[in-house]
Amino acid sequence: MARQSPPRNGVGGHDFDAKKKRKVAEIYQALNSDPIDVAALRRMAISEGGLLTDEIRCKVWPKLLSVNTDDLPPLPGKELREDNKDYQQVLLDVRRSLRRFPPGMPDDQREGLQEELIDIILHVLKRNPQLHYYQGYHDIVVTFLLVVGDRLATALVEKLSTHHLRDFMDPTMDNTKHILNYLMPIIDQVNPEVHDFMQSAEVGTIFALSWLITWFGHVLSDFRHVVRLYDFFLACHPLMPIYFAAVIVLHRQREVLECECDMASVHHLLSQIPQDLPYESLISKAGDLFVQFPPSELAKEAAQQQAERTAASTFKDFELASVQQRPDTVLRQRFRERLRGEERLRGEERTKSILTKPRTNRFVKLAVMGLTVALGAAALAVVKSALEWAPKFELQIFP
């Protein structure tokens, strides 16, 4: 069944419109603060509905990635295509990306955007030779291109590629596999029966590879759902996509357990992602699970990699950005004390208590949990994580 839109008429519609207007006002208030209130913007991006419109995303996404829109690089030129080792593969992938463009878009407009897409990808790779192109990268880049345009997309994608996506762009897939290895421990914490069934089927985690490395852009047909997830992921820790993958599997637990317990059957089921998922509910649950079972608690169960090589473990790189924001030390102290107690709880009752906490508390946490959620560190909560996980840049970036 298609996802229904909120009611527009009567009391329900009035309440929805009033709530949306209130959220828009809060977003612009955060944007107009001096300094910009990035913590509030992260809360807005995480909370129900995300950032609401592409116009707002054009303003907020750069702040979430600490990109100075007053100093954007010039548009990449066609000369990048000459003697470029990745050009042919990028060209093939972009040509196959027809379904990523809006239905009904004129061919000449789409073809123009595809040319821009190629140039953005080659530009980022040229400026960052340590990065290696992977199939699926274009699915992420095209999302930014369609939302913010080519010049801003170039800057945002470069920042994203050197931070959130860095592990996927290594010469090998070792770090990508390591991130995938967090999937089963998360599932095990919530539903051991599903975990054990999948282990018995020997299905592994490869079914979730395209979800992870494209931020679900390759597997979701409705662009609205894709950008809603990008709002969420940009505001959170770089491992949040694997938590979202886990809640999709857990959401389908009945289907999984009713499936034949063999690799082919379970892989086929899970690789066919439903298009009518309850996205807001799953986003909420993914955030809750991140707070409840942060990467630091799952690291021992995931395949071990050298900590300094993964983006998740270099979360403190965003610290310089958060220094400029407005940390509420009282709230942080309260959450720190509360989470210390919560981290000692285990079992089903803990799961229920976390998943039913008031939304406001969860969003404050999701907007505060970042630097301290590195592998091996105790988790504070999700906003602190995202706030403080930012690339190093000049303090003058938000004049």
Side-chain angles (χ1 to χ4, degrees), residues 3-9 12-17 20 48 224:
R3 188 177 177 219
Q4 295 181 348
S5 299
R8 295 290 181 173
N9 301 315
H14 175 76
D15 289 346
F16 172 78
D17 290 338
K20 181 177 179 179
E48 185 176 2
R224 296 172 303 169

Side-chain angles (χ1 to χ4, degrees), residues 39 108 161 187 221 230 246 258-259 262 296 301 322-323 334 365:
D108 56 345
S161 300
I187 293 171
S221 58
Y230 278 44
E258 291 176 353
C259 186
D262 62 75
S296 58
E301 300 176 54
S322 63
V323 169
R334 288 179 182 172
K365 288 180 181 180

Side-chain angles (χ1 to χ4, degrees), residues 48-95:
E48 185 176 2
L51 295 175
L52 302 173
T53 69
D54 286 351
E55 179 182 359
I56 293 176
R57 290 183 177 101
C58 287
K59 299 178 183 297
V60 175
W61 282 5
K63 308 310 178 189
L64 298 182
L65 284 172
S66 307
V67 168
N68 184 0
T69 56
D70 294 328
D71 187 26
L72 295 176
L75 289 174
K78 302 297 182 186
E79 68 278 359
L80 289 172
R81 304 184 182 198
E82 299 175 4
D83 299 322
N84 190 298
K85 65 181 178 64
D86 295 304
Y87 173 61
Q88 290 300 324
Q89 185 61 57
V90 172
L91 179 63
L92 289 173
D93 290 345
V94 170
R95 283 178 175 173

